[in-house]
Amino acid sequence: MTVSPMLVRLAAERATGALLRDHGTLYLVDGRVTHAESPAAPGLDVLLTTGGRLPREGWDEAVDRAGARHAVGRFLVESGRLRDGELEICHLGAVYDAAFFALAPATGPTRFRYGVAHWFGPVRPVSTEAVERETVRRRELLDSVWPYGSVDTAPVVPRAPAPGQTVSLRQRALLAAADGVRTPADIALVLGRPAFHTLLDVRRLAAAGLVETPPDPVAAAPPPAVPAWVGEIATDPDIALLRRLRDALEASL
């Protein structure tokens, strides 16, 4: 499945620059993705600092001293703030997270600015095929859990659990941040978590009846009854992602 025909063409051209779409931007060098940004996904700064891996002042210093040289990532490693492999895994996770939203169906024009480079600097480029494949896999995963996309952008409204119903620690933290006003994207920022994994958690909670599913204007039928166990998280999605990223890195060595 082709998510973006223009991205395929740019990869074939081995183009370098920035692909601007409705929901984000992909940065390419020689036709490979080096960075991705989206307003819907926390940036690498949030994932590292809010997540507790890096002090905010350490990030700010790296941007101040190396941003103009497009070498922030390299500075973080050379200054000892992050290990090389750690940076690669964190950065790759952030790229896939932002790319998922940047490659969402668009209604506005898609543009490409040749020669534009991101200030973070290249870490480990990813093929456009891998980015598109992961984007499709994530879309299918969300719909397999709870096929009601209205929960992805609406405020998360918790519901009381049924007698005996339990939630994981990860789910509990998300529910604590859900105040009926914050959307999944807002909660991802507050918790310093990847936005896609927050969406996945919200859909699992919705499937379990622990958060409300807003009416979907395109859905004529009400949601079918789903057993409570569908909402349980057997494994931490972050751990599963890190394992896939590790395998991908090892395969490319």
Side-chain angles (χ1 to χ4, degrees):
M1 172 187 255
T2 298
V3 176
S4 169
M6 181 177 283
L7 184 60
V8 173
R9 177 173 62 79
L10 292 169
E13 292 178 3
R14 298 179 59 85
T16 294
L19 177 64
L20 289 77
R21 292 171 55 89
D22 283 359
H23 306 291
T25 303
L26 298 181
Y27 293 83
L28 281 69
V29 172
D30 293 332
R32 294 171 67 84
V33 179
T34 58
H35 201 79
E37 292 179 330
S38 172
L44 190 58
D45 59 329
V46 174
L47 298 176
L48 289 171
T49 60
T50 304
R53 179 58 192 86
L54 188 69
R56 185 75 215 191
E57 56 269 21
W59 173 269
D60 291 340
E61 181 188 6
V63 174
D64 290 342
R65 296 183 59 179
R69 296 184 284 111
H70 303 90
V72 173
R74 184 47 43 198
F75 180 88
L76 289 171
V77 172
E78 292 177 351
S79 63
R81 288 170 172 79
L82 292 175
R83 294 184 295 274
D84 205 6
E86 184 179 25
L87 173 65
E88 289 184 4
I89 290 176
C90 292
H91 182 260
L92 191 56
V95 166
Y96 280 134
D97 195 42
F100 172 78
F101 298 96
L103 292 174
T107 57
T110 298
R111 304 176 301 279
F112 188 73
R113 295 181 179 173
Y114 285 91
V116 176
H118 194 273
W119 49 263
F120 191 82
V123 179
R124 181 183 286 269
V126 187
S127 70
T128 57
E129 293 87 351
V131 171
E132 287 205 327
R133 185 167 58 248
E134 180 65 10
T135 296
V136 171
R137 187 194 70 81
R138 292 183 179 206
R139 289 180 186 175
E140 293 173 347
L141 177 59
L142 286 177
D143 285 341
S144 71
V145 170
W146 190 240
Y148 299 93
S150 56
V151 301
D152 294 348
T153 55
V156 180
V157 180
R159 299 177 63 183
Q165 191 174 19
T166 60
V167 296
S168 68
L169 289 174
R170 182 181 180 85
Q171 291 174 319
R172 197 172 302 139
L174 190 154
L175 290 171
D179 56 3
V181 176
R182 293 186 180 118
T183 64
D186 296 329
I187 293 174
L189 281 171
V190 169
L191 299 179
R193 294 179 180 176
F196 170 77
H197 293 312
T198 304
L199 290 186
L200 188 58
D201 286 339
V202 169
R203 290 222 192 183
R204 282 173 167 151
L205 288 166
L210 291 168
V211 303
E212 301 222 355
T213 297
D216 190 337
V218 300
V226 177
W229 58 263
V230 173
E232 295 296 328
I233 297 181
T235 55
D236 188 329
D238 283 342
I239 299 300
L241 174 64
L242 290 177
R243 287 172 179 160
R244 289 197 302 276
L245 295 181
R246 179 200 61 195
D247 294 342
L249 288 171
E250 290 178 349
S252 63
L253 291 177

